[in-house]
Amino acid sequence: MSGLPFYRRERNQHPPAYSPGYKSSVLRAPFRPLVSPEQTELDTSGPTFGHDMLGPLDNDLIRNASQGGEALGERIIVHGRVLDENARPIPNALIEVWQANAGGRYAHTNDGYLAPLDPNFSGCGRTISDAEGYYRFRTIRPGPYPWPNNGSDWRPAHIHMSIFGEAFSQRLITQLYFEGDPLIPLCPIVNTIPDPDVVQRLVARLDFKNQMPFDSLAYRFDIVLRGRRQTYFENREEGA
Amino acid sequence: MMREPSKDGRLKETPSQTAGPYVHIGTAPQSIGREPLANQPGPVAYDGPDAITIEGVIYDGAGEPVRDAMVEFWGADAQGRVGEHGLFGRATTDFKTGEFSFRTVKPGQMREGLAPRIDFLIFARGINLHLHTRIYFPEDRDLIHDDPELKRVAPKARATLIADRIDGGAKGAYRFDVNLQGDNETVFFDV
């Protein structure tokens, strides 16, 4: 779908490229000013994904890599809505997720952390939002893990989320954190976002009443993607 | 909390975080020896006889290849149509060499005056919000010169957006290297 252009991305709502507290950013941050062209049809449309692409267990990380058992760990449902900045629901948003297992170990060739792999857990899943923008998946709460940055830093428990809205301009990859995790304010990657109030928008809230009784806790996490301008006039005004 | 509207009544966009070094698990499992999920986008968006190949390396500020990146490409079809006709895919950079490679069509012109291009996003450890650049084609130099979108990019910087044809390579083979920093830093966009 093509259509009206999007509001400019508010860069102060995102981490700056150069964030020396996160050492990997130092050599990977461009320094020249970004170029802001007008949006074309390529920017205001994007690849689309349908519910028929999903396998029956794609949204169940507890079972989708089973070797006969279920993944170990604290069982959770993550759910919420995908909305745009105008508070309109975004249907058919593809959400891909990846995460460490309950011990903080990734099933990845480059992860050498001493915590063991879980043979029944790959840490990969995906889901697509429904007509009201609602999505959900089931997983285990990932463990925190150490990584070399300032000596041994620790990542708070987190789930990586990649989101496609209806247009390429809405493309976003982020990380979900968990309410009450004391490692959040200590994390150099979290702290690439200068404003702690902005960080709060990455913190999923315990949603006790939506638990699956005697099975899984629930966490609520709403996602907001860029919204379209309401008129072309508004675009010209700012695009001058 | 998460949906607090701002002064203008709009919600605020969810902030970005780095895709990290294990981006392959969720977006390109075939690159770590796993089966891709059904219909998961990969490095071949089109493989007909007129397909083009674009390969390259992303260099960091020390001149080292970025070996843990995931890249995405999105372009019009050969007739310049986008939306459902657009071609999308993703590739990863090789763990040893840092090379990426993908196949798609040479896009047509979307509109009179606009040079054909492929939009190119880079996600990686150390990149806090994905970087967005564009791949233009060397055979379109006149269109690039006249493209109003590119008027605000200085000619030397503009050259960082134009792929090289690979001499002696397969027909339709292009090279597009990216420099994240330095004198020849690639132009990135805030679209």
Side-chain angles (χ1 to χ4, degrees):
Chain A
M1 191 175 105
S2 181
L4 289 164
F6 288 83
Y7 303 120
R8 289 271 162 219
R9 190 162 246 150
E10 291 182 46
R11 294 266 157 183
N12 64 2
Q13 299 297 307
H14 293 280
Y18 180 74
S19 305
Y22 173 30
K23 290 183 179 172
S24 294
S25 76
V26 170
L27 288 172
R28 294 184 171 192
F31 286 97
R32 300 236 167 94
L34 301 174
V35 174
S36 299
E38 283 189 29
Q39 293 167 20
T40 61
E41 302 90 310
L42 199 57
D43 307 296
T44 58
S45 72
T48 52
F49 303 95
H51 290 262
D52 54 355
M53 78 186 274
L54 297 179
L57 294 178
D58 279 8
N59 70 346
D60 186 358
L61 285 77
I62 290 181
R63 290 163 62 209
N64 71 11
S66 173
Q67 303 285 322
E70 296 198 338
L72 288 173
E74 179 183 329
R75 300 158 73 90
I76 60 170
I77 306 277
V78 175
H79 73 132
R81 292 181 84 194
V82 187
L83 303 166
D84 71 14
E85 290 169 288
N86 298 313
R88 280 197 281 251
I90 301 179
N92 299 316
L94 172 65
I95 300 173
E96 297 164 298
V97 302
W98 66 100
Q99 62 168 85
N101 69 22
R105 172 82 181 269
Y106 284 93
H108 189 289
T109 38
N110 289 349
D111 187 5
Y113 180 40
L114 54 79
L117 289 169
D118 178 345
N120 294 306
F121 187 74
S122 71
C124 167
R126 61 182 178 175
T127 186
I128 295 184
S129 64
D130 69 13
E132 280 76 49
Y134 183 78
Y135 77 91
R136 77 196 290 273
F137 61 92
R138 187 169 77 148
T139 187
I140 52 91
R141 180 173 165 137
Y145 59 85
W147 61 296
N149 187 61
N150 293 302
S152 172
D153 276 314
W154 285 76
R155 292 306 324 280
H158 64 280
I159 299 175
H160 295 268
M161 301 180 82
S162 159
I163 306 115
F164 288 88
E166 59 185 20
F168 213 46
S169 293
Q170 294 175 311
R171 189 76 182 91
L172 185 71
I173 288 185
T174 189
Q175 300 182 29
L176 170 160
Y177 303 102
F178 292 88
E179 179 178 10
D181 188 336
L183 292 172
I184 293 172
L186 303 177
C187 176
I189 289 178
V190 171
N191 290 332
T192 59
I193 300 173
D195 182 346
D197 290 340
V198 173
V199 169
Q200 286 306 305
R201 297 210 305 277
L202 294 178
V203 179
R205 307 292 155 172
L206 178 66
D207 186 4
F208 193 74
K209 69 179 190 311
N210 277 314
Q211 63 175 291
M212 286 174 70
F214 304 104
D215 184 324
S216 305
L217 278 173
Y219 280 86
R220 173 89 189 191
F221 187 69
D222 291 336
I223 297 163
V224 179
L225 303 181
R226 293 167 70 186
R228 291 184 193 271
R229 296 174 187 281
Q230 306 299 298
T231 62
Y232 279 103
F233 177 72
E234 197 181 353
N235 184 42
R236 281 199 301 273
E237 212 170 29
E238 280 187 37
Chain B
M1 46 179 233
M2 282 172 282
R3 290 172 50 188
E4 192 177 307
S6 54
K7 283 193 292 279
D8 53 15
R10 285 181 210 150
L11 302 181
K12 292 287 193 187
E13 187 187 11
T14 298
S16 175
Q17 291 273 265
T18 179
Y22 308 125
V23 61
H24 317 81
I25 296 173
T27 64
Q30 69 280 7
S31 64
I32 50 169
R34 293 225 205 104
E35 285 291 310
L37 303 177
N39 301 308
Q40 197 161 34
V44 180
Y46 175 74
D47 203 22
D50 51 340
I52 61 169
T53 301
I54 301 180
E55 59 169 49
V57 169
I58 300 159
Y59 292 100
D60 72 12
E64 283 295 313
V66 173
R67 297 180 179 91
D68 53 9
M70 188 274 285
V71 298
E72 291 183 340
F73 57 96
W74 168 238
D77 71 3
Q79 285 79 51
R81 297 176 300 179
V82 295
E84 66 195 47
H85 301 285
L87 285 99
F88 171 77
R90 53 163 67 127
T92 53
T93 59
D94 186 89
F95 289 131
K96 292 199 176 69
T97 64
E99 294 256 352
F100 66 83
S101 173
F102 62 85
R103 281 172 80 66
T104 186
V105 293
K106 166 76 191 282
Q109 268 187 283
M110 287 189 291
R111 260 188 275 150
E112 189 74 27
L114 291 185
R117 70 170 205 260
I118 290 175
D119 277 22
F120 189 69
L121 306 186
I122 301 170
F123 301 86
R125 172 178 65 89
I127 294 177
N128 293 324
L129 171 60
H130 60 270
L131 300 173
H132 184 158
T133 186
R134 294 173 171 184
I135 304 173
Y136 289 88
F137 296 89
E139 62 271 23
D140 300 325
R141 284 208 189 266
D142 292 346
L143 286 168
I144 293 168
H145 181 266
D146 296 334
D147 189 326
E149 291 267 295
L150 292 171
K151 291 274 189 247
R152 46 189 115 184
V153 182
K156 179 172 180 267
R158 209 179 294 167
T160 67
L161 300 174
I162 305 172
D164 291 321
R165 219 182 248 287
I166 300 176
D167 289 333
K171 184 170 169 290
Y174 298 89
R175 179 92 189 169
F176 185 74
D177 289 332
V178 174
N179 292 294
L180 299 179
Q181 297 178 354
D183 289 345
N184 208 24
E185 184 178 305
T186 298
V187 171
F188 296 102
F189 293 86
D190 175 26
V191 182

